[in-house]
Amino acid sequence: MNNHSDALAFYQLLEKIIRALTAQERTETVKAKGYLAEMCKMFRLSKGTTQFYEGINEEAAGQGETLIAYDDGSECKPVMSVRVVTKVRAVVICTVYMRDGVEPLSDDERDKIDLVMRTVLTAVSRNRMQLAIERLAFHDEAGYRNMRAYLRALAKMNEMRQLGSKAAMHFNLRHFSLVNQQIGKSAGDVALRSHYNGLSKMIGDGGTVCRLGGDNFVAICDKSQLEAVLDYLTETPVLYDLTSGRRILIAATAGVFSLPDGFVMRAPGQILDKIVAASYAARTGGKEQIVFYSDTLKQNKERSMRVQQRFPEAMRNEEFHVFYQPKIDIRTGRIIGAEALCRWFRNGEIVAPTDFISVLEETNDICKLDFYMLDHVCADIRRWLDEGREVVRVSVNLSRKHMMDIDLLKNIIDVIDKYEVPHEYVEFELTETTTDVEFRDLKRVVAGLQKAGIYTSVDDFGVGYSSLNLLCDIPWNVLKVDRSFLPVDTDDADSMRTIMFRHVVAMARSLGMECIAEGVETERQVRVLLENGCDLAQGFFFDNPLPVGEFETRLGKSDYPVLS
Ligand code: C2E
Ligand code: MG
Ligand code: MG
């Protein structure tokens, strides 16, 4: 190469190489390879390589990557090499080769090749650095794409006005802690990864899947893929043992927001808030495994927010009132106890617990409310004792959210003792649990209360995942049979419900527990209780939950109806 037109051709080719190497698109990288091959031919080179090592140690150990720009396949030896160490201590080496017997390179040619090699080195080290940054910024330690990657994907789709054809979702793998228990933590990790890889592959370039932490993920995909994606999330077998090929079924609960046509995002919250709310509804609602974001969901969410915001002020203003629902011995018509139920007086209206208890459970505010209730109940009992009334045992509902609190027992006893209320006047109603961990905590709490002479009862027995372990392994005093076990008017005497009721009562009694039926509404139901050996009842047939003043008039009385 020595004339003017050759030099021009060289610089034109170099310019093309620079353009291709600095462009972002993948197609340009392929082009760059073609130009480099041309360049090699121009200088009679038979091979050109670039080696990349993450550090000097890796270079010494020969652990790196070799990119081959051109190779004509002939036997050749290296004629020039350039090595650079980048700012992040990575090592990049460019080498070109020639066959024996080919006209050697002139000084001018060597200068030009040096220029090309340095250009390539700069581009390669810059691209590698970008990859490293990408890996650090948009992936978590385990290598899953993270929230930042999700936000970037949303922003990009928004920029290209593609969001209107997409569906976004948040999902949580169901009972993944149980999966870990079942197959072990490391197999659990493999399963998690297979699930993620499977979904990523399914969604492809139309969207992305990112992990928020634990077993929580977000994804976005084309609406046309949604059906397949939801099918996958509902339940799919995934590999957890690569050598044996063993698989496990994984199901998720998901909240989906199908973005309206023409959707333009102003802030990511417009999407994230919706999918998180819908996913929460799916996880806690217990009905639908997949919940689509909708206006009713929005209203519920707003209602929850209002309850959470107003709660502290409502506590300060004593807007919560204790209502007492009598418990009756149906053989004598005598009041033998009461359940304290919470009512919220807000702007002249009474709000029922179903409208706020579950909301308060989201933030653990329920624990404050339960202690507020206990405090007021103990104050009332103290007053009744001081007034010389005939006092009955009062039960207070205790949310499961308290179970992790190691100071729970001490705090409870402190409140009761503050009012000098004898412990046998207080009972706590607790509901059944689902997981092993909760079961252990529950057992500890109930045993502790028992030891302190405080009564405990299993509330709503039969609606959750009751197992006989719950009754045998935990020292309860009382079993409250849920009203779903009571026969309704259309049932005959031998209905399944009645038979089960009979057995539950018999079992409770043989375990030495008191047994009370809740939600007793009709005379017929009272009769069923009598016939099946259940002497205690609570329900509208006898009394509603009553304001304290009204309840006081019932104390010491035995004038509830007794069936003959
Ligand atoms: P629960 O502990 O099972 O309370 C019994 C519920 O059944 C009460 O509903 C009561 O009003 C209702 N009930 C009583 N008799 C009848 C009847 O004959 N028929 C029917 N259909 N229902 C009857 P309420 O007061 O709306 O409370 C609902 C739930 O809210 C309670 O269920 C309890 O789990 C929770 N709750 C209420 N107050 C508190 C509280 O202070 N703390 C906690 N953690 N939970 C509470
Ligand atoms: Mg209760
Ligand atoms: Mg109940």
Side-chain angles (χ1 to χ4, degrees):
M1 171 179 295
N2 40 27
N3 62 35
H4 182 71
S5 66
D6 283 348
L8 190 66
F10 167 75
Y11 285 112
Q12 278 171 342
L13 190 52
L14 180 62
E15 193 188 334
K16 282 188 196 166
I17 291 174
I18 293 173
R19 267 187 216 287
L21 284 177
T22 49
Q24 299 291 335
E25 294 80 28
R26 265 208 80 68
T27 48
E28 293 299 312
T29 323
V30 179
K31 273 194 207 158
K33 226 173 144 177
Y35 298 143
L36 285 169
E38 250 180 76
M39 189 64 93
C40 284
K41 284 182 209 151
M42 188 181 277
F43 292 101
R44 308 177 301 286
L45 302 169
S46 48
K47 187 167 149 187
T49 63
T50 308
Q51 281 160 302
F52 179 85
Y53 302 97
E54 277 186 1
I56 294 173
N57 294 338
E58 284 80 0
E59 182 190 14
Q63 292 165 344
E65 248 184 285
T66 304
L67 314 167
I68 299 173
Y70 176 68
D71 188 357
D72 69 6
S74 59
E75 200 168 306
C76 50
K77 55 177 189 290
V79 287
M80 274 180 77
S81 195
V82 180
R83 174 179 176 273
V84 295
V85 180
T86 70
K87 279 197 194 119
V88 290
R89 317 299 301 159
V91 179
V92 198
I93 304 167
C94 230
T95 312
V96 291
Y97 299 73
M98 268 184 144
R99 256 181 293 135
D100 273 344
V102 173
E103 184 194 340
L105 297 168
S106 67
D107 286 350
D108 175 62
E109 284 177 327
R110 293 186 87 89
D111 285 347
K112 289 198 167 78
I113 292 173
D114 189 73
L115 184 62
V116 177
M117 290 203 288
R118 286 185 193 280
T119 308
V120 171
L121 288 183
T122 314
V124 168
S125 47
R126 198 196 60 148
N127 289 347
R128 285 299 151 140
M129 198 128 87
Q130 267 179 353
L131 280 181
I133 290 171
E134 166 89 20
R135 210 170 48 222
L136 288 175
F138 296 102
H139 294 80
D140 65 14
E141 323 74 85
Y144 291 93
R145 277 181 296 278
N146 61 13
M147 188 58 166
R148 236 177 274 142
Y150 193 63
L151 293 176
R152 183 175 62 167
L154 292 184
K156 201 163 167 192
M157 289 171 185
N158 196 35
E159 234 171 73
M160 301 175 74
R161 294 291 178 263
Q162 290 173 339
L163 283 175
S165 64
K166 305 283 174 186
M169 68 213 74
H170 176 282
F171 63 94
N172 174 266
L173 303 186
R174 268 182 150 177
H175 307 308
F176 204 71
S177 55
L178 291 183
V179 171
N180 277 331
Q181 273 175 33
Q182 212 181 322
I183 61 176
K185 175 91 175 57
S186 60
D189 287 346
V190 176
L192 196 71
R193 170 72 65 175
S194 321
H195 189 267
Y196 169 87
N197 287 347
L199 188 62
S200 301
K201 193 165 161 217
M202 174 178 264
I203 291 179
D205 292 337
T208 187
V209 189
C210 304
R211 184 188 185 197
L212 303 186
D215 53 4
N216 286 304
F217 294 82
V218 283
I220 185 156
C221 68
D222 274 330
K223 281 181 194 167
S224 62
Q225 301 171 306
L226 188 58
E227 202 182 322
V229 166
L230 294 184
D231 231 32
Y232 184 92
L233 290 180
T234 304
E235 188 169 75
T236 197
V238 300
L239 270 179
Y240 70 89
D241 186 332
L242 301 176
T243 39
S244 71
R246 268 196 289 251
R247 303 195 298 171
I248 187 168
L249 281 174
I250 292 204
T253 51
V256 184
F257 178 39
S258 180
L259 285 86
D261 290 345
F263 182 89
V264 178
M265 180 176 80
R266 274 168 285 109
Q270 285 174 287
I271 294 173
L272 292 173
D273 291 353
K274 293 183 174 79
I275 57 177
V276 169
S279 174
Y280 183 80
R283 196 163 73 238
T284 56
K287 284 196 285 284
E288 310 291 339
Q289 202 184 330
I290 310 272
V291 171
F292 277 81
Y293 178 80
S294 68
D295 285 340
T296 40
L297 201 65
K298 182 173 160 199
Q299 283 153 11
N300 287 345
K301 170 95 188 141
E302 283 167 2
R303 183 141 25 96
S304 309
M305 298 261 294
R306 270 202 304 279
V307 167
Q308 283 167 4
Q309 279 163 4
R310 288 178 182 169
F311 178 73
E313 186 196 323
M315 285 278 277
R316 278 195 301 279
N317 297 345
E318 303 246 328
E319 289 175 19
F320 297 101
H321 291 223
V322 183
F323 272 46
Y324 292 91
Q325 185 173 36
K327 296 178 183 172
I328 316 299
D329 181 333
I330 56 176
R331 294 191 185 273
T332 60
R334 190 169 181 77
I335 178 170
I336 52 94
E339 174 172 10
L341 293 159
C342 187
R343 297 290 179 270
W344 185 353
F345 284 69
R346 176 98 211 161
N347 304 331
E349 268 178 59
I350 301 184
V351 190
T354 36
D355 289 344
F356 60 87
I357 297 285
S358 59
V359 177
L360 297 180
E361 284 189 320
E362 288 170 27
T363 56
N364 277 6
D365 276 343
I366 188 67
C367 298
K368 294 183 194 147
L369 181 70
D370 285 349
F371 268 94
Y372 171 103
M373 291 288 287
L374 177 65
D375 195 278
H376 284 67
V377 165
C378 289
D380 283 341
I381 297 178
R382 178 74 261 153
R383 188 166 47 76
W384 298 330
L385 288 167
D386 293 345
E387 291 168 0
R389 293 179 192 271
E390 209 171 295
V391 177
V392 290
R393 197 202 307 150
V394 178
S395 60
V396 174
N397 289 285
L398 202 59
S399 163
R400 287 212 302 241
K401 294 282 165 183
H402 292 278
M403 294 306 120
M404 299 89 118
D405 177 4
I406 46 166
D407 295 323
L408 175 66
L409 210 63
K410 179 186 171 299
N411 294 341
I412 285 177
I413 293 173
D414 283 353
V415 175
I416 303 176
D417 289 350
K418 181 173 82 180
Y419 292 99
E420 296 180 30
V421 165
H423 291 188
E424 67 268 23
Y425 285 133
V426 183
E427 174 178 321
F428 286 101
E429 300 194 3
L430 293 124
T431 52
E432 306 155 51
T433 57
T434 41
T435 68
D436 286 0
V437 180
E438 274 189 355
F439 189 86
R440 273 206 305 279
D441 288 337
L442 186 66
K443 191 170 166 177
R444 180 175 49 77
V445 169
V446 172
L449 289 168
Q450 177 88 269
K451 218 168 134 207
I454 299 164
Y455 280 74
T456 51
S457 51
V458 196
D459 200 358
D460 305 335
F461 182 79
V463 283
Y465 299 82
S466 6
S467 79
L468 294 180
N469 286 350
L470 182 83
L471 297 186
C472 301
D473 292 355
I474 299 183
W476 304 98
N477 303 103
V478 184
L479 181 84
K480 291 193 84 177
V481 187
D482 190 71
R483 65 199 191 91
S484 58
F485 276 115
L486 291 181
V488 293
D489 278 345
T490 48
D491 288 346
D492 58 44
D494 289 328
S495 76
M496 196 63 182
R497 256 192 272 255
T498 315
I499 295 167
M500 285 179 62
F501 179 74
R502 183 176 309 148
H503 288 293
V504 169
V505 176
M507 184 177 65
R509 292 177 65 128
S510 61
L511 288 169
M513 297 165 80
E514 260 177 39
C515 188
I516 180 165
E518 54 181 335
V520 178
E521 293 178 347
T522 64
E523 188 175 317
R524 198 167 154 247
Q525 290 175 330
V526 180
R527 233 172 252 296
V528 171
L529 301 197
L530 282 171
E531 284 161 10
N532 291 288
C534 179
D535 297 342
L536 307 178
Q538 171 187 347
F540 298 159
F541 179 73
F542 300 99
D543 249 330
N544 289 349
L546 306 169
V548 62
E550 210 171 317
F551 174 69
E552 283 167 5
T553 65
R554 309 287 203 276
L555 284 173
K557 297 264 174 71
S558 308
D559 47 11
Y560 285 100
V562 177
L563 302 187
S564 49

